[in-house]
Amino acid sequence: MHDFHTHTNYSDGRFLEGMVEAADSTGLEGIGLTDHCTVTARDRPATVRNVYGFNLDLTYERRRRAIDELRDRSDVSLEIYDGVEMDYDPRDERAIREFLAEAGFEYTLGSVHAVDGLNVQVPSNFTGLSEARLDAVVDDYFETLVTMIESELFDVAAHIDLIERTPPLSGRATIDHYDRVARALADSRTIPEINAGRATAATALVHPDEAFLEVLREYDVAVTVGTDSHRPAEIGERADFLEQYLASRDLDPVSPPGLE
């Protein structure tokens, strides 16, 4: 069992060493460190980047040295992968492409967190909007997701129905949305993940949801896995959940393409 989606103190997670040690003690064979990164000059996302520390473009070399030091330790037996979770906006494609070429991560996650500058994880951003406007936000979310996949910038598309965690947006996605994303993935090197970041919480939410997963399977789209853990204590429980989830659905996950 590998975990290809975790965060450390190089973005909004806990100390890197503790994350790796927790994964090792859990019995994982590998952990991917995929700290958030935002590359943009636009005001709103640049502010988010500064507030939350999504600036791995400034610190990836320092983090890489820390990874190398942990790899050299005799008491750490699992593989440690040097990855990134990059915020995607079509307007930033050139900057993203240039940075990823420069940094040379072992693999990359791409994620859509915002539509029209509004974070889709924040319910208050969408309170009071009309039904038609909420549906339009969902349309824009999936349009951006497809554009991200078609860009071929990333190995993995992270939490591909992130809007399901947000009450004003949840339940508005359609099979047509899922079908379009699945077709894009089937034609791309990019693969989606089974993300357990909220699977063991009260919401018991897995990305993608069952209906979306079924459409992906119809298109024979491969999947990888990630716990999306930000704290050491989260890794074991979420990894156990993923192992049972995959077995119950007869899913055989693959590694991100960059590692193959």
Side-chain angles (χ1 to χ4, degrees):
M1 185 72 187
H2 289 69
D3 181 358
F4 293 112
H5 186 160
T6 66
H7 300 280
T8 78
N9 57 301
Y10 284 85
S11 58
D12 58 346
R14 295 297 185 263
F15 286 121
L16 186 154
E17 181 182 41
M19 297 296 288
V20 171
E21 289 176 343
D24 198 23
S25 65
T26 296
L28 289 174
E29 296 178 66
I31 182 173
L33 307 179
T34 53
D35 284 298
H36 291 284
C37 187
T38 301
V39 181
T40 185
R42 288 174 289 108
D43 287 345
R44 190 190 294 266
T47 298
V48 171
R49 160 196 168 97
N50 293 335
V51 169
Y52 291 100
F54 292 0
N55 55 5
L56 193 63
D57 57 318
L58 302 180
T59 60
Y60 73 92
E61 292 175 311
R62 185 182 305 165
R63 193 190 70 168
R64 191 165 290 162
R65 290 194 293 272
I67 290 172
D68 287 340
E69 290 175 4
L70 284 170
R71 285 170 171 167
D72 289 340
R73 275 176 38 177
S74 60
D75 61 331
V76 175
S77 60
L78 82 173
E79 295 290 332
I80 308 170
Y81 303 110
D82 177 19
V84 62
E85 180 180 353
M86 178 69 66
D87 270 328
Y88 176 80
D89 184 296
R91 293 169 290 182
D92 300 325
E93 271 200 20
R94 180 175 179 179
I96 293 170
R97 192 178 304 277
E98 290 176 353
F99 168 62
L100 292 180
E102 169 196 313
F105 294 104
E106 290 178 293
Y107 69 96
T108 58
L109 310 184
S111 56
V112 178
H113 286 103
V115 172
D116 292 334
L118 299 177
N119 191 319
V120 298
Q121 301 175 96
V122 181
S124 61
N125 284 337
F126 309 101
T127 301
L129 296 186
S130 67
E131 295 294 305
R133 181 65 189 119
L134 291 171
D135 287 340
V137 170
V138 172
D139 288 342
D140 289 346
Y141 171 82
F142 283 105
E143 179 69 28
T144 305
L145 182 61
V146 168
T147 303
M148 183 189 82
I149 294 164
E150 292 176 342
S151 76
E152 299 290 353
L153 283 167
F154 306 105
D155 295 293
V156 177
H159 37 61
I160 56 176
D161 56 354
L162 188 62
I163 56 172
E164 291 303 319
R165 72 166 295 185
T166 308
L169 304 177
S170 178
R172 294 180 180 274
T174 67
I175 295 298
D176 286 342
H177 288 125
Y178 298 160
D179 189 79
R180 187 166 178 222
V181 173
R183 281 189 280 114
L185 288 165
D187 292 335
S188 172
R189 66 181 288 271
T190 304
I191 61 174
E193 63 172 2
I194 305 295
N195 181 297
R198 297 164 189 88
T200 59
T203 54
L205 181 64
V206 179
H207 301 295
D209 72 9
E210 291 288 349
F212 202 167
L213 179 60
E214 185 58 34
V215 174
L216 295 174
R217 298 187 76 164
E218 289 173 6
Y219 280 85
D220 199 26
V221 172
V223 297
T224 189
V225 291
T227 68
D228 204 349
S229 295
H230 292 67
R231 298 170 179 80
E234 296 168 343
I235 295 175
E237 184 179 29
R238 294 179 185 180
D240 288 344
F241 170 87
L242 279 172
E243 193 165 18
Q244 296 172 27
Y245 182 92
L246 296 168
S248 68
R249 289 157 180 80
D250 195 28
L251 288 170
D252 187 14
V254 300
S255 298
L259 294 178
E260 295 179 348

